[in-house]
Amino acid sequence: MTIPNPGAGSPDKEPASEAQAAQDALDNAERAETATATGAETATATPAAGKPVGKPAPGKPTEPEARPSLGQLFLANLWAANTVTVTVLALVLAIVVGAVLMIISDPEVLATYSYITARPADALNASWTLVSEGYANLFKGSVFDPEAFSGWLNGSNGWEPVLAPISETLTYTAPLVFTGLSVALAFRGGLFNIGAQGQATIGVILAALAGFLLPLPPVLHLIVAVLAGALGGAIWGFIPGILKARAGAHEVINTIMLNYIAVYFLSWLIVQKGIQDPGRTDAISRSVDGSAQLPRLLGDNLRVHAGILVAVLATWAVAWLLNRSTLGFELRAVGANPDAARTAGISVTRTYVLIMVFAGILAGLGGSNMVLGSTASALTPLVVAQIGFDGILVALLGRVKPWGVALAALLFGALQAGGNRMQSYSGISLELVTVLQALIVIFIAAPALVKAIFQLRAARAARLHTSLAKGW
Amino acid sequence: MEPGEIHALLGENGAGKSTLMNVLYGLYQPDEGEILVDGTPLKLKGPSDAIAAGIGMVHQHFMLVPVFTVAENVMLGAEQTRGGIGGFLDRRRARREVAEVSERYNLRVDPDAVIEDLPVGIQQRVEIVKALTREVDLLILDEPTAVLTPQETEELLAVMRSLKAAGKSIVFITHKLGEVKAIADRITVIRRGKTVGTASPEASRDELAALMVGRSVRLTVDKAPAQPKEPVLEVTGLVVDDDRQCRAVDGVDLTVHAGEVLGVAGVQGNGQTELIEAIMGLRPVLAGSVSLAGQGIHGWSTKKVLRAGVGYVPEDRSVDGLVKEFSVAENLVLDIYDRPPFGSGLALKPDAIAKSARERIEQFDVRTPSADAAVGTLSGGNQQKVIVARELSRPLKLFIAAQPTRGVDVGSIEFIHSRVIRERDIGTAVLVVSSELDEVIGLADRIAVMYRGRIIGVVGPDTPREEIGLLMAGITPDAATPENAATPTAATPDAPTAATTGDTTDGTTGPVGDPDGTTAGPATEGPVNEDKA
C-alpha cells in the first residue's frame, strides 16, 4: 500500500487548520462590515472566483497552510477580487442601479409608469431624459462643461468656468486621498483603521486651534497649523495602537469608540468661550487666520488649493514608505504574517503602534485640509463631513495601494463635485451620490455577484438569440 | 480486522497512521490500492460513505459544537425530524438514543450536558457515542489518549473493552507502547508509510520500540568526526510554559560546543518547540539561564538574539519562517532587511537585495522562476532552502534548526543536511531538533533525548536506535537494561496475570503514569520494567 506524503506529520492536522481558517472567516464576518465580509468569504470558499492578477498562486495542497490572519484574508480577497474588469463593471452596475433610483424617486417620471402598457414611449422618454440629464450634470460638474468651454471660445465667459469642474473635483479629492491612505496603510499592516474619522476630527480641531489661536507669520503659521493637524491625528491613532500592542484590545472597537469621543469633543469645544465665534450664537468657532490657510492654486474664484499637492506628495511618500523603506518592509511583513515577522526579530507590537500613528497622521492631515482649505475656515460640528468613512471606501476601491487610493479618491471627489451640480440643475438629491459610492464598493466587494449578473445576462441573450440585452 | 478485535496501529509521528485512517474514513482518496470490507472492495468518496459502510472515527481533535448539548451534537448531521417537511428536531429521540447507547456500553454520558462544560475525557466519549449511534461496526480512534489524564485513559480502555465485548472492532492509533500492550489483540507497526511488522501484544517493549523506530535506511550524511571546541550555547535549569500556561520545559540543562551538532530527539510535543522558542527570545523564560558564548541572552528580544549571531530555522516554515506573499528576495532578507547593505537608515536598497537574492538562489540551489516570485508558489523543499539560505548567509555563532527537513523532498533533505554539516565544520555550534530519529542520528555528534520537558539522556550517535527509541518513550536505559538482563524473576510475578485485568495495570501505569513522573519526580522505572516479562 502506498501512502501519500510519507514522513510529513501534517495531514492529521489539516482539518484543524481548515477549521481555524473557517473560524477566521467567521470572525471576519462578525467584525468587518457585512459587504466586505461577504466578499472575504466568497474568496475563501472559491479562490478561483476572482482573477488572480499579480497574486501568488495558492500553495501546494500538501503544505500545512499558515493560519491566515483577519487582515491577510481580507487583503487576499481584495486583490483577488478587485481586478480592473470588476471595478469597471461595478461602476457600470452602480450607475444602472443609480438610474433606477433616480426614476423611482422622481414622482413625475414614476407617474408615467402607471400607463406604461398604453404608452410605453412616455415612460421611456421621461426616464431617459431624467437619467441622461442627471448623469450629464454629474459629468459637467466634475470633469468638463462643454457650455463653459464654448462660452470661453466665443468670449462670453473667462477661462475660470472651464476649469471650475476640475477645481471642484480636486478640492473634494484632497482630503479623501489622506483618509484613504490612512486606512490603506493600516490595512497593509494588518489593522483595520475604522478610526480615520476620529483622527481627522482631532486633526481638524488642532489645525483650527493653531490657525486662530497662534499669532504667527504667514508661511510658518500654515506649516504649524498643518503639523498640528497631523499631530492630532497621530495622538488619536496612537491610542488604539498602544492599546492593541499592550493590551491586545481590538483596534476596530477602539477606533470606533474614539470616533464618538472625537466627534462629541468637537461639539463641546466649539461652544466654549474663546473658541466660539464671538459674533455668533450657533455652534461655530472663530475663523482660521488667513495666514494659516492653504493657498489657492488658480485664483480666488476657484476653490482648488494646495492641499491637493500635499496629497500627491503624501501618496508618493506612502508608496515609498511601503515599498522602499525598512519600516514599510516591517509593516508589510507584520501585515502578511505576524508570526514570521516576530520570528525574524521584528517587533510586532512596536510596528502596530507605528502603523496606527502613521495612519493617524495621514487622517489628521486630511482633517486639517477641511479647515485650512477652501471648504470651510471655521470649526462646525460637521466640518470634517464623512471623509473618514469615505476613506475606508476609497482605500477598498483603490486596492489599498497608494496610487490606487489616489485614483479612487479622484473618482469619489468627482462624484461629490458632480453631485452638487446634479442636485442644483437636475433636482436629484446629493444623497444619490453617496448611494452610488456605496453601490460601487458593494459591487467591488462582491465580485462573484458582479460576474454572476453579467454572465446571467450574457447567457440569457445567447439562448434567445436576440439583442434583448442591448441595454447592457 | 476481525469482528470484536482491537487492532493497534503503532508508529512515530508522521509515520502515516493518521493518513491511513483518514483514507479509511473517506477523508482522503487513495492513490493506489483498495479497501476491502467483508471481502468486497469499497470506494469511499467521503465520510458519509464510510459511515454507511459501518466505519466510524473519533478524531484527535474533536468535532463537536461546544455550545450544543450532547444530544444535539450526536444528532448533528443525522437530524431526525418529526412533523414532515420543515418539522421539528426530534430532540427527545436523540436524547433517548444517547441514553440507550451510553447505557448499553456503560459510557455514562448525560445527554443534556453542554459540551463546553464537560471534561475532555467525556467529550471523547460523546464522540464515541456519536459514532455508535450511526451503527458502526468498526471504530477508528485516532490517538485517543493524547489528551487524556491517566484516569481518563483507564476509563477509555474500559470502554474499549466493553465495545469489544459487544462485537465492535476498534482500530486504535497511538504511539504509546503501554496502552497498546494493555488492550490490543493485534499490533501493526507503521513507519514512513509502510507496514513494517505485525506483533502480538506479548511482544516486549523493546521489540515494539525497535519496530517503531526502525532500522530503515539511514539517511547517510558524510561527515568527519566533530572537533568540538569551547561551549557556545549553555542552557541551565530552563523552565518555560507553553501557550496554555502548562509547564513545557521543566529544568533543561544543555550545552552545545562550537563545531559540533547536538541533536535533540523526542516525540513531538515534549517541550522541544518551547525550548527553542525560549532560546530565541520568542517565549518568556520563567527560570534558569541561557547564555551564548558566555553572555546571558535570556530576556533578550528576538532581534537582539539574531544579531548576536544566532541563525534560526523555525519548525513550521509556513507559519513562522516565511511570509508567503513576499517574494523570494524579500524572504531572503526577512531578518536582515535593516542592516547594510540591504537597508540604511529608513531606506531599503532594492538593488542590494536583488543582487544578494540572485547569489543565494544560485548557492543554495533554490528552484524558483525568479527572485521576485512569491515564496508561497515554491515547493516545500525550496521554501525550506530559502530559509536555510537566509539563516546561513551571515556569520553565526550558533545555528538552530528545528525540524529542518519536515515535508521536504529527499533531494532537498540531502542538500540541507550537507549545509548543516558544512556550518558545523566552520566552527559554528549547531542545535538540531527533529522528531525524525533518522535525521538526528544522521546529523548529530551528540543526541539529547527530550521527554516531557526534560532531557532524560544524552547519548552518542552510535547508540542503538532501540535505546534511543526507549528514551523517547520515557524509559531510561540505566533503569531498563540491568533489570532486563539480570533479573527476569523480578518480572515473573506479573506474568501469570497476563489476562485482561493484569495487563491493564501494567499498561496504564507504565506510560500513562508518566505525567505523574513529571510532577512527582522520576518514578517511572518501577512499573515500566514489569512489562519486560
Side-chain angles (χ1 to χ4, degrees), chain B residues 460-476:
Chain B
D462 303 326
T463 315
R465 316 171 65 84
E466 300 72 51
E467 198 175 306
I468 301 176
L470 283 173
L471 278 171
M472 285 167 69
I475 303 155
T476 44

Side-chain angles (χ1 to χ4, degrees), chain A residues 113-203:
Chain A
Y113 277 80
S114 56
Y115 54 92
I116 188 167
T117 43
R119 287 161 61 191
D122 268 16
L124 293 180
N125 281 336
S127 308
W128 175 249
T129 314
L130 176 75
V131 171
S132 59
E133 274 190 12
Y135 282 131
N137 278 318
L138 192 66
F139 181 77
K140 286 176 191 170
S142 59
V143 186
F144 179 67
D145 183 357
E147 289 149 36
F149 186 69
S150 56
W152 176 57
L153 283 185
N154 59 35
S156 62
N157 55 269
W159 56 271
E160 283 171 347
V162 181
L163 290 179
I166 298 285
S167 158
E168 285 300 291
T169 295
L170 293 181
T171 307
Y172 285 109
T173 299
L176 291 179
V177 173
F178 288 111
T179 51
L181 288 174
S182 163
V183 177
L185 187 77
F187 270 146
R188 294 293 289 273
L191 297 176
F192 287 75
N193 181 18
I194 312 295
Q197 185 77 17
Q199 291 144 16
T201 305
I202 298 297

